[in-house]
Structure formats: structure tokens, C-alpha cells
Amino acid sequence: MTIARLLAIGFIYVCAALAWGVLGGSLVARTGEFDNRLSRDIALLWGGKHVQVAPEVRVERPTTVTERIQEHDAQGRPITRDVSRQSIERTVLPLDATRVTVALDLDQRQKGLLWYDTYAVRFRGSWRVHNPDAVPRRVIVKFVFPSADAIYDGFVFTAGNQRSAAVTDLSQGTDAVVDVPAAADVPIEVAYTSRGLGDWTYAFAREGVTRAQDFRLDMNTDFWAIDFPAGTMSPSEKRRDGEGWALTWKFDSLVTGQRIGMDLPDRINPGPLAARITWFAPVSLLFFLAVMVILGVLRGHSLHPMNYAFVSAAFFAFHLLLAYLVDHLDLHLSFAIAAVTSVALVVSYLRVVVGTQFALREAGLAQLVFLVFFSYAFFFEGYTGLTVTAGAIVTLFVLMQLTAKVDWGVVLARRETA
């Protein structure tokens, strides 16, 4: 091994790293392009993100409004006079009691390079509001749909004995108008079955801080990997229920600006995962080349830089094949096909160059560790860095032990024979 050969190997490594950079960039671009287009398609086909807001109740009270207006008399002089007129004042009434049950059934869908967290939701809510006046009042209850892109099967919305008005625009919601006797209560009922995308959220009010009296929300899931979005509250009670959870939020008197929500579990997205593996590829190749150079010195198999060029191309074939297989096949199957192909390319090539034993035992094992094992570590989010670090330290220890007695001055001073 000479300095010239090491420089040539370094040049090959830099070229391979640039190629991986281009491939990783194309994966990121494809993923972003698909996400912008397909997420909207999924929302239109399946339903958008659900944010269910509690009904808003307003009571109508007649009032007299006095306005001061300016006029001109017969001589053109300005005069000011007060004019009174009758008006209707609408005041928000607080909800005295809330009982909500919601069931979430996960049904993830894949489009292109991405998985989307789609789900079915069965919602039923009942609220109670009180007329605080000693005279009958007209009450308007407004219900806002959680998503303007979803469908609502079996939709029921009643306030007292009055059903809601016809729904003409999901983005505007619907109203129910009911005449309430003096100091009487009004029950409000809402029920529907729908489908959504992303998180599911229940809001106590459209915005700001509000008060919730005698509140209870029961949620059942058919998945166990639960999480709660930022800005939402953890449940008061939770217990395992079959393959999912039974969760309860219960409050006697709550003042909050937060919400209640469920972050449905994510699946590994093929596009972003393939991009991360591709960005990491130069590190895998660097480990592999270092091991092959050192083992070549120890075993007397000093490969030519052209040999390293073909081996680097076989490494690149793994990521190139993975990047386009994940469009059509299962992620794990795509990974297995790409790994077998790349290892077969390297082993079958080096078997001819340096012999079967070195190709299988040294080169094949090194490729399994630095390409396959290191890349598969990206499937375990949160442990990827630790796995690669541990592998790097073990590799360093083995190489240090193997080369402790090597006189590198003599090795690098050797001249190539013709």
C-alpha cells in the first residue's frame, strides 16, 4: 500500500459521497413533492384533521340601544338628538355539563413514499346549558364540524326538542334554535361517524381560555401506542382495553386554554427513512474502506483503487435500489432485496479478485456490519446514534488490536512493482 494508492482511494470515496448527496437530495425532493400533493388528496378522499369544538350557546335578550345623531334644521344649523331603537343582544352561555364518548380506530394508508395516519372516529356528545333568566329566552346553539373535508354518517344534532337546520356548508357548521322556559335547562345532543387524518382534538372553545363544568370525556382506541399532542392534557384515568386503551378526562371545574387530543401512532415513512440511510452512506463506506485497507495490508491482499471503485459502486447500488423499490414494495422487503443484491455484488467480485475466503469472511462480514447492520439501525428511532457509535467503537478496538504491531512506516514506504 502506497501513499498514491491511498490518495486514489480517497478520491473514489469523495466521488461516491457526492453521488450519495445527489441521491439523498432527490429523495428529499420526491418526498416533499409527494407530501404536498398527496396529503391534500388523502384529506379529500378520506377526511382532514379533526378538531372538534364544543357547541357555542348564545342567549338572545331584547335591549334598547340609544344613538346620538346629528341633523340639520330648516335653517341648515346642525342639531343633535338621541334616537332609541330595539335590538337583540346575544350573550354566550357557559356549558353546565359535558359528556363525550369517542372511539378511534386506526386505519393507516400509504401513498407513494409516505404513510398517513388515517382513522375512523365515532363521536357522541351531550351537553347541558341553563337559562339564567326568570323569563323565557330564545337560545341559539352553533355546532362546528371538526373538518370541512370529511364525511359525517348518521349525523344527529338536537337542542331541546329542536333539530338543527339543514347543513349547506361544512366549513360554516349548523345552528339549532330553541325557546327555553324561564330558569330551565336545555339538553344538547350530537352524534356522528366520520374519518380523519392526523391528530384528533377536542377543544373547549374556539380560542382563548374557557371554563368547563362537570366535564367527562371517554376515549377508546384500538391501538396501544398512544401519545398526546403538544398543548393537550393527559387523561385523568387510563387502562388497557384489549389491543388499545380506555382513557378518561374528568374535571369538576376546569379553567384552561389547553385541549384534549390524541396523536395517532406513526408508521415508518419509506421516503424519509431511505433519505436518512442515504445521507449516512458515506460513513458506512468510510468504515468499510478503512477495514478493507487494513485487512489487505495484514493479509497481503492490497487491492487496486479500481477494485475499490467497483466495491463503492456496489455500495451505491444498495441505496439506489432501495430508493426506488420503496415506491412499490414493503419497506422491509425492499431493504432485504437491496442488501442481498449489494452483498452479492461485492462478494462475487472480490471472490474473483482475491479469493473466496477473503471475499466471504472479511469483505462479506464487513459489508454486513457497516452497510446492512448500520443502515437497519435507522428502523429503530432513538437508538440509531447509539447503535452506530457502539459499532464504531467495537470496530476501532478490533482494528487497534490487529494493527498494534504493524510498522506503518515500512508499509507505506513500499514501492509498487510493475
Side-chain angles (χ1 to χ4, degrees), residues 12 19 30 40 51 63 95 111-112 120 144 146 172 192 204 211 217 233 247 271 275 322 332 348 374-375 402:
I12 292 169
R30 287 169 58 204
R40 180 59 181 169
V51 179
T63 183
L95 298 172
K111 283 287 187 180
V144 179
Q172 298 299 319
Y192 60 80
F204 299 97
R211 184 166 190 159
L217 186 148
M233 298 177 288
L247 311 171
L322 177 65
H332 290 83
S348 63
F374 276 16
S375 297
L402 291 176

Side-chain angles (χ1 to χ4, degrees), residues 22 39 56 75 87 107 112 121 139 228 263 269 303 328 379 394:
V22 174
S39 59
E56 184 181 75
Q75 287 75 32
S87 178
D107 188 10
V121 53
V139 170
F228 308 105
D263 183 4
N269 279 315
L303 299 177
H328 311 285
F379 283 83
V394 171

Side-chain angles (χ1 to χ4, degrees), residues 2-43:
T2 62
I3 296 297
R5 282 198 172 189
L6 288 177
L7 291 176
I9 295 171
F11 175 75
I12 292 169
Y13 172 78
V14 171
C15 292
L18 292 175
W20 273 310
V22 174
L23 180 60
S26 69
L27 275 170
V28 171
R30 287 169 58 204
T31 302
E33 178 184 353
F34 285 149
D35 189 28
N36 293 334
R37 176 170 53 86
L38 294 178
S39 59
R40 180 59 181 169
D41 293 344
I42 288 287

Side-chain angles (χ1 to χ4, degrees), residues 146-226:
S147 172
D149 297 323
I151 61 173
Y152 300 91
D153 184 30
F155 176 69
V156 175
F157 171 32
T158 60
N161 56 357
Q162 298 295 320
R163 298 182 66 88
S164 64
V167 180
T168 57
D169 187 350
L170 289 176
S171 63
Q172 298 299 319
T174 183
D175 296 336
V177 181
V178 57
D179 293 322
V180 185
D185 292 335
V186 181
I188 304 168
E189 300 285 340
V190 174
Y192 60 80
T193 300
S194 184
R195 302 183 300 188
L197 169 67
D199 302 341
W200 185 90
T201 307
Y202 179 87
F204 299 97
R206 291 190 182 184
E207 57 184 4
V209 178
T210 189
R211 184 166 190 159
Q213 298 277 2
D214 189 15
F215 179 89
R216 182 185 178 101
L217 186 148
D218 294 303
M219 178 186 295
N220 290 90
T221 72
D222 68 344
F223 49 88
W224 65 270
I226 61 173

Side-chain angles (χ1 to χ4, degrees), residues 124-153:
R124 179 172 294 275
S126 61
W127 299 265
R128 189 180 74 248
V129 67
H130 180 73
N131 177 13
D133 297 343
V135 296
R137 296 295 188 193
R138 172 163 291 184
V139 170
I140 301 174
V141 183
K142 184 173 184 61
F143 175 80
V144 179
F145 290 94
S147 172
D149 297 323
I151 61 173
Y152 300 91
D153 184 30

Side-chain angles (χ1 to χ4, degrees), residues 359-408:
L360 286 174
R361 189 176 64 182
E362 277 85 358
L365 181 61
Q367 189 179 9
L368 283 176
V369 172
F370 299 121
L371 177 65
V372 180
F373 177 69
F374 276 16
S375 297
Y376 198 76
F378 283 85
F379 283 83
F380 306 100
E381 293 189 13
Y383 295 93
T384 303
L386 179 61
T387 303
V388 173
T389 301
I393 292 174
V394 171
T395 303
L396 178 62
F397 172 78
V398 172
L399 293 180
M400 290 174 66
Q401 298 302 311
L402 291 176
T403 61
K405 295 184 178 181
V406 174
D407 189 344
W408 291 104

Side-chain angles (χ1 to χ4, degrees), residues 53-65:
V53 182
E56 184 181 75
V57 182
R58 293 181 180 271
V59 59
E60 291 186 344
R61 295 188 176 102
T63 183
T64 301
V65 178

